[in-house]
Amino acid sequence: MFAGSKNAVEIGRKAGAANSMAMRQHTLKTAINCTGVGLHSGTKISMTLHPAEDGTGIVFRRVDIAGAGSVIPAHWSHVVDTRMCTVIGNDAKVTIGTIEHLMAAFAGMGVDNAIVEINGGEIPVMDGSAAPFVFLMECAGITEQDAPRRAIKILKKVSVRDGDKTATLYPASDGFAVDFGIAFAAAAVAHQSYTFSFSGPAFAAEISRARTFGFLEEVAQLQAAGLARGGSLDNAVVVSGDRILNEEGLRFDDEFVRHKILDAVGDLYLAGHPMIGRFQAHCSGHAINNRLLRQLFADPTAWTIVDDVAANESLSSWRIVPRRAMA
Ligand SMILES: [Zn+2]
């Protein structure tokens, strides 16, 4: 079986030389830094995104903590808290929170490998969306590497439910599509649904700018619990009933559901690779997104790794610039 898989990769590589749709892993061209506040901690944080070798994946490192305990891979199995944001941690009890918007940007920009160095326990919230991270990655540049890109292909339906909240992964012949619905009591949000067919440019245009949101009535409660200390109208849409409190209003009429898709794209990238399949959700959040991945990977018959990427055109949707356009 292993010999067969290797042959498939070899054949894929050879085909890749002649196939204009060959897909390889990508990383950043150079390191790039930003600073900002943590949404929940309210503290100022410095973060640097570094290029990384083929096969590294996305790896976080706390530079304020010495030794091997400072490293946390961006992987579903390292998720330790999902109540307000997605938090990853390791055996040394070191954690990093609010990784989902940065992870969504990596997914959207087609970055397979990067090392994220950070001097605190939370990714800066920036403007509450993934757009500043997309901009950072565009400034650093994205470069192709030698190894073929790997993807996770969904082979059968996997579903989780918590009351009226649901999330399901379905097989698809190619690409990655998201079908998301939300329902909130606040009239300014109410019912929204959005279908999104994943590609880098579509992520940047339709999803990356959608900001996180909260309800005025919950802000005092959150802050009393030590959360949302860095939250402000500069980094979140704040809703009260039928009113949006931000002076500039919304970036999209349906910014709320678009942001839920942004969160899901980031959470699902903790699978470790892009996915080939369809994600359908109703009122899903970080907890259910993580439960879905745990359920998926608990069943080896529900997924497979596609490493013959050169022969698989479906993954071309993960490229920002199609290879044929560059040729
Ligand atoms: Zn979010």
Side-chain angles (χ1 to χ4, degrees):
M1 181 193 159
F2 287 107
S5 304
K6 188 166 179 287
N7 283 344
V9 173
E10 289 302 315
I11 291 163
R13 281 187 178 153
K14 280 174 192 153
N19 182 346
S20 64
M21 299 304 289
M23 287 297 299
R24 298 191 184 279
Q25 295 183 22
H26 286 69
T27 189
L28 301 170
K29 269 189 191 149
T30 63
I32 193 158
N33 174 268
C34 73
T35 56
V37 295
L39 177 63
H40 293 300
S41 62
T43 54
K44 192 177 168 193
I45 290 157
S46 172
M47 177 174 83
T48 307
L49 311 180
H50 294 270
E53 288 179 9
D54 290 356
T56 304
I58 309 295
V59 175
F60 289 81
R61 192 168 86 80
R62 288 271 301 262
V63 295
D64 56 328
I65 290 170
S70 63
V71 173
I72 315 173
H75 193 258
W76 57 270
S77 62
H78 282 273
V79 171
V80 295
D81 189 355
T82 52
R83 285 170 299 177
M84 293 305 300
C85 60
T86 296
V87 182
I88 51 172
N90 60 20
D91 292 343
K93 305 282 180 215
V94 172
T95 63
I96 298 175
T98 321
I99 63 164
E100 58 271 17
H101 304 163
L102 178 62
M103 288 303 295
F106 280 130
M109 295 297 284
V111 174
D112 301 273
N113 306 304
I115 293 168
V116 180
E117 287 191 335
I118 185 163
N119 68 351
E122 192 178 10
I123 301 299
V125 65
M126 312 308 282
D127 70 350
S129 79
F133 301 132
V134 167
F135 178 70
L136 267 187
M137 292 175 204
E138 279 173 346
C139 290
I142 311 277
T143 188
E144 190 175 63
Q145 300 176 282
D146 290 334
R149 174 166 288 165
R150 310 183 92 195
I152 291 160
K153 189 171 173 68
I154 306 301
L155 298 180
K156 68 183 194 191
K157 179 183 166 183
V158 177
S159 196
V160 294
R161 171 179 285 274
D162 177 10
D164 63 349
K165 300 173 182 175
T166 62
T168 308
L169 284 166
Y170 294 95
S173 55
D174 63 11
F176 181 66
V178 177
D179 189 3
F180 211 114
I182 57 172
F184 282 89
V189 185
H191 294 259
Q192 298 187 346
S193 63
Y194 198 83
T195 300
F196 172 63
S197 191
F198 194 97
S199 72
F203 176 82
E206 298 174 37
I207 303 298
S208 74
R209 295 175 58 243
R211 292 163 296 174
T212 194
F213 59 95
F215 300 94
L216 182 64
E217 296 70 17
E218 292 171 5
V219 171
Q221 220 177 325
L222 285 173
Q223 290 182 339
L227 295 164
R229 285 182 178 169
S232 76
L233 293 170
D234 292 331
N235 54 38
V237 177
V238 180
V239 176
S240 179
D242 61 356
R243 288 187 308 132
I244 306 292
L245 300 193
N246 306 59
E247 255 177 43
E248 74 280 13
L250 295 172
R251 292 178 177 178
F252 306 96
D253 288 345
D254 52 3
E255 185 167 357
F256 306 102
V257 70
R258 291 180 194 235
H259 186 80
K260 297 295 277 185
I261 291 176
L262 191 165
D263 281 341
V265 167
D267 285 343
L268 294 178
Y269 202 37
L270 292 172
H273 302 286
M275 250 180 220
I276 300 171
R278 185 162 64 88
F279 173 74
Q280 191 176 57
H282 180 75
C283 294
S284 177
H286 304 306
I288 292 186
N289 294 342
N290 188 247
R291 273 180 56 202
L292 186 66
L293 288 184
R294 287 176 189 273
Q295 192 154 317
L296 172 71
F297 290 110
D299 180 354
T301 68
W303 58 280
T304 190
I305 292 270
V306 180
D307 56 6
D308 185 10
V309 294
N312 190 332
E313 292 199 355
S314 65
L315 290 176
S316 63
S317 63
W318 287 83
R319 289 189 61 94
I320 299 299
V321 181
R323 177 179 273 256
R324 58 187 159 192
M326 290 171 14

